[in-house]
Amino acid sequence: MRGSSLIVTQTMAVWERMRKHCGWRRSAKQISLDAIIPLFMIPLLAVIAAQSVFCTILIFLSTPLLIYYLHHNFLRFLLRTKFFLMWTITSVLMLMLVFEVNIVPLLEILPEENLFFIICVVGGIYCASKTKLSADHVGQEGVIEQSLELGEGSEELCVICRRKTSPQAYHCRVCQTCILNREYHSKWLDCCIGSSNLRWYIACLSFSTTAFIYGSNLTMTSVCHPFILIGTMLLPDDCSDVYHQLDIAVCFISALYSLIVGIIIFCYLIRHLWLIYLEITLDEHYLYRNQYDHETLKNVS
């Protein structure tokens, strides 16, 4: 009894220390609940969706509504939630794990195809980390150094953070600083996109689009009956029997999820490339559109 009590006491002590600290020698930092939810939510939704076609349709239709409900009622009241960043990290790790553990052992794909997929995934992760690190670096130092390069007469005072910034800077209420040529605040990377990290962000979108769509194609052509489109390019043909085995069904669900995410990221990429071609930022685009809508409404009135 004394030994079991000692084990329980030690276990509770370890758990309490892990809950309150993000490192044994670092300062105390409590782990927020919103950052833990995606770690359990995404695998659970994938297993439920893999049960049948009806469950697949239900999960894929209800998940965006569930995320919107959580954001509208809980997450938007947090100053800087980690929910969406952890959703991104968990999704990438889960899809990569499913592909390497379940798809590669089927020996349906070539080694060079797997190598190209890994390169795209690693490239997307690296560019995403550089995007966030560049944004955090600017957030810590502000845009004072960047504005000084534009000349003394080109500065103005931000009414929120009371700093001298460039006229092209925009104050982000989430990052609590001014961002030069700010595009928007990306919740999925938990950072602002501006002139300091736009190139890394575009590269991240390019690698991620290729990785998600290409990985989805490799997975579907491995678990479904494929057909040859052109040369060695395969596309899935019949996926009616994927729900007979749970592991194959999970692979199919992961491929669908990867395809949807890849299409969404591709739309983001096209929009940012178009804005770069027009030489305006996303915030400026929204500002011009709101002014145009206001003038149109005024003329109609």
Side-chain angles (χ1 to χ4, degrees), residues 72-95:
H72 183 74
N73 293 279
F74 304 102
L75 300 177
R76 68 188 181 97
F77 298 107
L78 300 177
L79 181 60
R80 193 165 186 177
T81 177
K82 300 294 183 181
F83 175 84
F84 298 98
L85 176 63
M86 291 304 300
W87 187 284
T88 302
I89 296 175
T90 306
S91 298
V92 173
L93 293 180
M94 188 195 73
L95 295 176

PDB file of all heavy atoms in Angstrom, residues 72-95:
ATOM      1  N   HIS A  72     -16.377  31.731 -32.322  1.00  0.00           N
ATOM      2  CA  HIS A  72     -17.329  32.817 -32.082  1.00  0.00           C
ATOM      3  C   HIS A  72     -17.701  32.934 -30.609  1.00  0.00           C
ATOM      4  O   HIS A  72     -17.940  34.048 -30.112  1.00  0.00           O
ATOM      5  CB  HIS A  72     -18.586  32.594 -32.922  1.00  0.00           C
ATOM      6  CG  HIS A  72     -19.603  33.694 -32.789  1.00  0.00           C
ATOM      7  ND1 HIS A  72     -19.434  34.931 -33.371  1.00  0.00           N
ATOM      8  CD2 HIS A  72     -20.790  33.762 -32.110  1.00  0.00           C
ATOM      9  CE1 HIS A  72     -20.477  35.706 -33.073  1.00  0.00           C
ATOM     10  NE2 HIS A  72     -21.309  35.019 -32.314  1.00  0.00           N
ATOM     11  N   ASN A  73     -17.735  31.831 -29.897  1.00  0.00           N
ATOM     12  CA  ASN A  73     -18.211  31.851 -28.517  1.00  0.00           C
ATOM     13  C   ASN A  73     -17.103  31.812 -27.472  1.00  0.00           C
ATOM     14  O   ASN A  73     -17.350  32.204 -26.321  1.00  0.00           O
ATOM     15  CB  ASN A  73     -19.155  30.661 -28.281  1.00  0.00           C
ATOM     16  CG  ASN A  73     -20.446  30.784 -29.059  1.00  0.00           C
ATOM     17  OD1 ASN A  73     -21.372  31.480 -28.662  1.00  0.00           O
ATOM     18  ND2 ASN A  73     -20.512  30.102 -30.198  1.00  0.00           N
ATOM     19  N   PHE A  74     -15.890  31.333 -27.845  1.00  0.00           N
ATOM     20  CA  PHE A  74     -14.839  31.188 -26.846  1.00  0.00           C
ATOM     21  C   PHE A  74     -13.505  31.778 -27.301  1.00  0.00           C
ATOM     22  O   PHE A  74     -12.925  32.621 -26.602  1.00  0.00           O
ATOM     23  CB  PHE A  74     -14.645  29.708 -26.490  1.00  0.00           C
ATOM     24  CG  PHE A  74     -15.892  29.028 -26.016  1.00  0.00           C
ATOM     25  CD1 PHE A  74     -16.606  28.188 -26.862  1.00  0.00           C
ATOM     26  CD2 PHE A  74     -16.367  29.225 -24.730  1.00  0.00           C
ATOM     27  CE1 PHE A  74     -17.768  27.562 -26.433  1.00  0.00           C
ATOM     28  CE2 PHE A  74     -17.525  28.607 -24.296  1.00  0.00           C
ATOM     29  CZ  PHE A  74     -18.224  27.774 -25.147  1.00  0.00           C
ATOM     30  N   LEU A  75     -13.008  31.365 -28.474  1.00  0.00           N
ATOM     31  CA  LEU A  75     -11.641  31.673 -28.861  1.00  0.00           C
ATOM     32  C   LEU A  75     -11.425  33.142 -29.167  1.00  0.00           C
ATOM     33  O   LEU A  75     -10.337  33.675 -28.934  1.00  0.00           O
ATOM     34  CB  LEU A  75     -11.240  30.823 -30.084  1.00  0.00           C
ATOM     35  CG  LEU A  75     -11.285  29.312 -29.884  1.00  0.00           C
ATOM     36  CD1 LEU A  75     -10.945  28.586 -31.172  1.00  0.00           C
ATOM     37  CD2 LEU A  75     -10.336  28.885 -28.761  1.00  0.00           C
ATOM     38  N   ARG A  76     -12.424  33.826 -29.679  1.00  0.00           N
ATOM     39  CA  ARG A  76     -12.231  35.224 -30.052  1.00  0.00           C
ATOM     40  C   ARG A  76     -12.087  36.134 -28.835  1.00  0.00           C
ATOM     41  O   ARG A  76     -11.658  37.280 -28.966  1.00  0.00           O
ATOM     42  CB  ARG A  76     -13.384  35.709 -30.934  1.00  0.00           C
ATOM     43  CG  ARG A  76     -14.738  35.828 -30.238  1.00  0.00           C
ATOM     44  CD  ARG A  76     -15.811  36.135 -31.257  1.00  0.00           C
ATOM     45  NE  ARG A  76     -17.135  36.278 -30.643  1.00  0.00           N
ATOM     46  CZ  ARG A  76     -17.669  37.445 -30.318  1.00  0.00           C
ATOM     47  NH1 ARG A  76     -16.995  38.554 -30.572  1.00  0.00           N
ATOM     48  NH2 ARG A  76     -18.864  37.515 -29.775  1.00  0.00           N
ATOM     49  N   PHE A  77     -12.425  35.630 -27.659  1.00  0.00           N
ATOM     50  CA  PHE A  77     -12.261  36.420 -26.448  1.00  0.00           C
ATOM     51  C   PHE A  77     -10.850  36.299 -25.871  1.00  0.00           C
ATOM     52  O   PHE A  77     -10.493  37.052 -24.967  1.00  0.00           O
ATOM     53  CB  PHE A  77     -13.285  36.001 -25.396  1.00  0.00           C
ATOM     54  CG  PHE A  77     -14.707  36.227 -25.830  1.00  0.00           C
ATOM     55  CD1 PHE A  77     -15.521  35.152 -26.177  1.00  0.00           C
ATOM     56  CD2 PHE A  77     -15.225  37.504 -25.899  1.00  0.00           C
ATOM     57  CE1 PHE A  77     -16.825  35.349 -26.573  1.00  0.00           C
ATOM     58  CE2 PHE A  77     -16.535  37.712 -26.302  1.00  0.00           C
ATOM     59  CZ  PHE A  77     -17.339  36.637 -26.642  1.00  0.00           C
ATOM     60  N   LEU A  78     -10.053  35.346 -26.377  1.00  0.00           N
ATOM     61  CA  LEU A  78      -8.661  35.220 -25.955  1.00  0.00           C
ATOM     62  C   LEU A  78      -7.798  36.193 -26.755  1.00  0.00           C
ATOM     63  O   LEU A  78      -8.020  36.395 -27.950  1.00  0.00           O
ATOM     64  CB  LEU A  78      -8.172  33.785 -26.169  1.00  0.00           C
ATOM     65  CG  LEU A  78      -8.940  32.691 -25.419  1.00  0.00           C
ATOM     66  CD1 LEU A  78      -8.394  31.319 -25.789  1.00  0.00           C
ATOM     67  CD2 LEU A  78      -8.886  32.910 -23.915  1.00  0.00           C
ATOM     68  N   LEU A  79      -6.820  36.769 -26.090  1.00  0.00           N
ATOM     69  CA  LEU A  79      -5.988  37.766 -26.756  1.00  0.00           C
ATOM     70  C   LEU A  79      -5.215  37.163 -27.912  1.00  0.00           C
ATOM     71  O   LEU A  79      -5.157  37.739 -29.001  1.00  0.00           O
ATOM     72  CB  LEU A  79      -5.018  38.392 -25.742  1.00  0.00           C
ATOM     73  CG  LEU A  79      -4.084  39.478 -26.302  1.00  0.00           C
ATOM     74  CD1 LEU A  79      -4.904  40.634 -26.859  1.00  0.00           C
ATOM     75  CD2 LEU A  79      -3.123  39.962 -25.229  1.00  0.00           C
ATOM     76  N   ARG A  80      -4.611  35.997 -27.704  1.00  0.00           N
ATOM     77  CA  ARG A  80      -3.842  35.349 -28.762  1.00  0.00           C
ATOM     78  C   ARG A  80      -3.925  33.839 -28.568  1.00  0.00           C
ATOM     79  O   ARG A  80      -3.084  33.230 -27.906  1.00  0.00           O
ATOM     80  CB  ARG A  80      -2.388  35.821 -28.748  1.00  0.00           C
ATOM     81  CG  ARG A  80      -1.614  35.433 -29.998  1.00  0.00           C
ATOM     82  CD  ARG A  80      -0.326  36.219 -30.117  1.00  0.00           C
ATOM     83  NE  ARG A  80       0.344  35.943 -31.372  1.00  0.00           N
ATOM     84  CZ  ARG A  80       1.468  36.535 -31.767  1.00  0.00           C
ATOM     85  NH1 ARG A  80       2.038  37.436 -30.988  1.00  0.00           N
ATOM     86  NH2 ARG A  80       2.014  36.243 -32.923  1.00  0.00           N
ATOM     87  N   THR A  81      -4.934  33.232 -29.131  1.00  0.00           N
ATOM     88  CA  THR A  81      -5.163  31.810 -28.954  1.00  0.00           C
ATOM     89  C   THR A  81      -4.184  30.993 -29.801  1.00  0.00           C
ATOM     90  O   THR A  81      -3.794  31.404 -30.902  1.00  0.00           O
ATOM     91  CB  THR A  81      -6.600  31.454 -29.337  1.00  0.00           C
ATOM     92  OG1 THR A  81      -6.787  30.034 -29.220  1.00  0.00           O
ATOM     93  CG2 THR A  81      -6.933  31.875 -30.749  1.00  0.00           C
ATOM     94  N   LYS A  82      -3.802  29.829 -29.287  1.00  0.00           N
ATOM     95  CA  LYS A  82      -2.931  28.895 -29.998  1.00  0.00           C
ATOM     96  C   LYS A  82      -3.726  27.765 -30.644  1.00  0.00           C
ATOM     97  O   LYS A  82      -3.130  26.801 -31.140  1.00  0.00           O
ATOM     98  CB  LYS A  82      -1.909  28.301 -29.019  1.00  0.00           C
ATOM     99  CG  LYS A  82      -1.015  29.325 -28.349  1.00  0.00           C
ATOM    100  CD  LYS A  82      -0.098  30.004 -29.338  1.00  0.00           C
ATOM    101  CE  LYS A  82       0.843  30.976 -28.640  1.00  0.00           C
ATOM    102  NZ  LYS A  82       1.733  31.674 -29.583  1.00  0.00           N
ATOM    103  N   PHE A  83      -5.046  27.859 -30.642  1.00  0.00           N
ATOM    104  CA  PHE A  83      -5.888  26.777 -31.160  1.00  0.00           C
ATOM    105  C   PHE A  83      -5.597  26.511 -32.632  1.00  0.00           C
ATOM    106  O   PHE A  83      -5.385  25.360 -33.046  1.00  0.00           O
ATOM    107  CB  PHE A  83      -7.358  27.133 -30.956  1.00  0.00           C
ATOM    108  CG  PHE A  83      -8.323  26.144 -31.548  1.00  0.00           C
ATOM    109  CD1 PHE A  83      -8.690  25.006 -30.855  1.00  0.00           C
ATOM    110  CD2 PHE A  83      -8.867  26.351 -32.812  1.00  0.00           C
ATOM    111  CE1 PHE A  83      -9.572  24.088 -31.410  1.00  0.00           C
ATOM    112  CE2 PHE A  83      -9.753  25.441 -33.371  1.00  0.00           C
ATOM    113  CZ  PHE A  83     -10.106  24.308 -32.664  1.00  0.00           C
ATOM    114  N   PHE A  84      -5.589  27.558 -33.453  1.00  0.00           N
ATOM    115  CA  PHE A  84      -5.434  27.373 -34.890  1.00  0.00           C
ATOM    116  C   PHE A  84      -4.010  26.950 -35.251  1.00  0.00           C
ATOM    117  O   PHE A  84      -3.811  26.159 -36.183  1.00  0.00           O
ATOM    118  CB  PHE A  84      -5.813  28.661 -35.613  1.00  0.00           C
ATOM    119  CG  PHE A  84      -7.242  29.071 -35.403  1.00  0.00           C
ATOM    120  CD1 PHE A  84      -7.572  30.021 -34.452  1.00  0.00           C
ATOM    121  CD2 PHE A  84      -8.257  28.484 -36.133  1.00  0.00           C
ATOM    122  CE1 PHE A  84      -8.892  30.393 -34.251  1.00  0.00           C
ATOM    123  CE2 PHE A  84      -9.585  28.850 -35.935  1.00  0.00           C
ATOM    124  CZ  PHE A  84      -9.901  29.809 -34.984  1.00  0.00           C
ATOM    125  N   LEU A  85      -3.015  27.468 -34.528  1.00  0.00           N
ATOM    126  CA  LEU A  85      -1.641  27.036 -34.774  1.00  0.00           C
ATOM    127  C   LEU A  85      -1.462  25.563 -34.434  1.00  0.00           C
ATOM    128  O   LEU A  85      -0.846  24.805 -35.204  1.00  0.00           O
ATOM    129  CB  LEU A  85      -0.676  27.890 -33.954  1.00  0.00           C
ATOM    130  CG  LEU A  85       0.804  27.492 -34.028  1.00  0.00           C
ATOM    131  CD1 LEU A  85       1.327  27.637 -35.444  1.00  0.00           C
ATOM    132  CD2 LEU A  85       1.642  28.325 -33.063  1.00  0.00           C
ATOM    133  N   MET A  86      -2.021  25.120 -33.308  1.00  0.00           N
ATOM    134  CA  MET A  86      -1.934  23.713 -32.946  1.00  0.00           C
ATOM    135  C   MET A  86      -2.753  22.843 -33.887  1.00  0.00           C
ATOM    136  O   MET A  86      -2.404  21.679 -34.126  1.00  0.00           O
ATOM    137  CB  MET A  86      -2.401  23.525 -31.501  1.00  0.00           C
ATOM    138  CG  MET A  86      -1.468  24.115 -30.461  1.00  0.00           C
ATOM    139  SD  MET A  86       0.215  23.474 -30.607  1.00  0.00           S
ATOM    140  CE  MET A  86      -0.056  21.711 -30.370  1.00  0.00           C
ATOM    141  N   TRP A  87      -3.838  23.386 -34.432  1.00  0.00           N
ATOM    142  CA  TRP A  87      -4.613  22.640 -35.441  1.00  0.00           C
ATOM    143  C   TRP A  87      -3.746  22.401 -36.679  1.00  0.00           C
ATOM    144  O   TRP A  87      -3.750  21.300 -37.247  1.00  0.00           O
ATOM    145  CB  TRP A  87      -5.867  23.424 -35.807  1.00  0.00           C
ATOM    146  CG  TRP A  87      -6.806  22.674 -36.712  1.00  0.00           C
ATOM    147  CD1 TRP A  87      -6.658  22.451 -38.053  1.00  0.00           C
ATOM    148  CD2 TRP A  87      -8.025  22.011 -36.340  1.00  0.00           C
ATOM    149  NE1 TRP A  87      -7.700  21.715 -38.546  1.00  0.00           N
ATOM    150  CE2 TRP A  87      -8.554  21.428 -37.520  1.00  0.00           C
ATOM    151  CE3 TRP A  87      -8.716  21.882 -35.133  1.00  0.00           C
ATOM    152  CZ2 TRP A  87      -9.748  20.725 -37.509  1.00  0.00           C
ATOM    153  CZ3 TRP A  87      -9.910  21.169 -35.131  1.00  0.00           C
ATOM    154  CH2 TRP A  87     -10.410  20.601 -36.313  1.00  0.00           C
ATOM    155  N   THR A  88      -2.988  23.426 -37.095  1.00  0.00           N
ATOM    156  CA  THR A  88      -2.104  23.278 -38.249  1.00  0.00           C
ATOM    157  C   THR A  88      -1.017  22.242 -37.987  1.00  0.00           C
ATOM    158  O   THR A  88      -0.780  21.350 -38.805  1.00  0.00           O
ATOM    159  CB  THR A  88      -1.460  24.635 -38.593  1.00  0.00           C
ATOM    160  OG1 THR A  88      -2.484  25.595 -38.855  1.00  0.00           O
ATOM    161  CG2 THR A  88      -0.561  24.510 -39.806  1.00  0.00           C
ATOM    162  N   ILE A  89      -0.358  22.345 -36.835  1.00  0.00           N
ATOM    163  CA  ILE A  89       0.733  21.417 -36.509  1.00  0.00           C
ATOM    164  C   ILE A  89       0.217  19.990 -36.386  1.00  0.00           C
ATOM    165  O   ILE A  89       0.820  19.044 -36.921  1.00  0.00           O
ATOM    166  CB  ILE A  89       1.420  21.866 -35.211  1.00  0.00           C
ATOM    167  CG1 ILE A  89       2.083  23.231 -35.395  1.00  0.00           C
ATOM    168  CG2 ILE A  89       2.456  20.837 -34.761  1.00  0.00           C
ATOM    169  CD1 ILE A  89       2.690  23.802 -34.132  1.00  0.00           C
ATOM    170  N   THR A  90      -0.910  19.813 -35.703  1.00  0.00           N
ATOM    171  CA  THR A  90      -1.464  18.466 -35.524  1.00  0.00           C
ATOM    172  C   THR A  90      -1.893  17.865 -36.853  1.00  0.00           C
ATOM    173  O   THR A  90      -1.689  16.667 -37.105  1.00  0.00           O
ATOM    174  CB  THR A  90      -2.664  18.518 -34.560  1.00  0.00           C
ATOM    175  OG1 THR A  90      -2.273  19.141 -33.341  1.00  0.00           O
ATOM    176  CG2 THR A  90      -3.172  17.118 -34.255  1.00  0.00           C
ATOM    177  N   SER A  91      -2.487  18.668 -37.722  1.00  0.00           N
ATOM    178  CA  SER A  91      -2.925  18.170 -39.027  1.00  0.00           C
ATOM    179  C   SER A  91      -1.739  17.693 -39.855  1.00  0.00           C
ATOM    180  O   SER A  91      -1.781  16.611 -40.463  1.00  0.00           O
ATOM    181  CB  SER A  91      -3.690  19.263 -39.780  1.00  0.00           C
ATOM    182  OG  SER A  91      -4.854  19.641 -39.080  1.00  0.00           O
ATOM    183  N   VAL A  92      -0.680  18.495 -39.901  1.00  0.00           N
ATOM    184  CA  VAL A  92       0.500  18.119 -40.679  1.00  0.00           C
ATOM    185  C   VAL A  92       1.134  16.846 -40.132  1.00  0.00           C
ATOM    186  O   VAL A  92       1.475  15.927 -40.895  1.00  0.00           O
ATOM    187  CB  VAL A  92       1.514  19.279 -40.690  1.00  0.00           C
ATOM    188  CG1 VAL A  92       2.824  18.842 -41.341  1.00  0.00           C
ATOM    189  CG2 VAL A  92       0.940  20.482 -41.435  1.00  0.00           C
ATOM    190  N   LEU A  93       1.278  16.762 -38.816  1.00  0.00           N
ATOM    191  CA  LEU A  93       1.892  15.568 -38.218  1.00  0.00           C
ATOM    192  C   LEU A  93       1.034  14.328 -38.428  1.00  0.00           C
ATOM    193  O   LEU A  93       1.552  13.244 -38.732  1.00  0.00           O
ATOM    194  CB  LEU A  93       2.123  15.806 -36.721  1.00  0.00           C
ATOM    195  CG  LEU A  93       3.168  16.861 -36.352  1.00  0.00           C
ATOM    196  CD1 LEU A  93       3.277  16.993 -34.840  1.00  0.00           C
ATOM    197  CD2 LEU A  93       4.518  16.519 -36.954  1.00  0.00           C
ATOM    198  N   MET A  94      -0.287  14.462 -38.295  1.00  0.00           N
ATOM    199  CA  MET A  94      -1.163  13.315 -38.478  1.00  0.00           C
ATOM    200  C   MET A  94      -1.143  12.829 -39.918  1.00  0.00           C
ATOM    201  O   MET A  94      -1.031  11.614 -40.182  1.00  0.00           O
ATOM    202  CB  MET A  94      -2.596  13.673 -38.070  1.00  0.00           C
ATOM    203  CG  MET A  94      -3.535  12.463 -38.055  1.00  0.00           C
ATOM    204  SD  MET A  94      -5.280  12.908 -37.997  1.00  0.00           S
ATOM    205  CE  MET A  94      -5.534  13.507 -39.680  1.00  0.00           C
ATOM    206  N   LEU A  95      -1.242  13.738 -40.880  1.00  0.00           N
ATOM    207  CA  LEU A  95      -1.229  13.344 -42.286  1.00  0.00           C
ATOM    208  C   LEU A  95       0.105  12.716 -42.671  1.00  0.00           C
ATOM    209  O   LEU A  95       0.141  11.726 -43.421  1.00  0.00           O
ATOM    210  CB  LEU A  95      -1.522  14.558 -43.169  1.00  0.00           C
ATOM    211  CG  LEU A  95      -2.922  15.173 -43.035  1.00  0.00           C
ATOM    212  CD1 LEU A  95      -3.050  16.422 -43.886  1.00  0.00           C
ATOM    213  CD2 LEU A  95      -3.995  14.163 -43.411  1.00  0.00           C
TER     214      LEU A  95
END
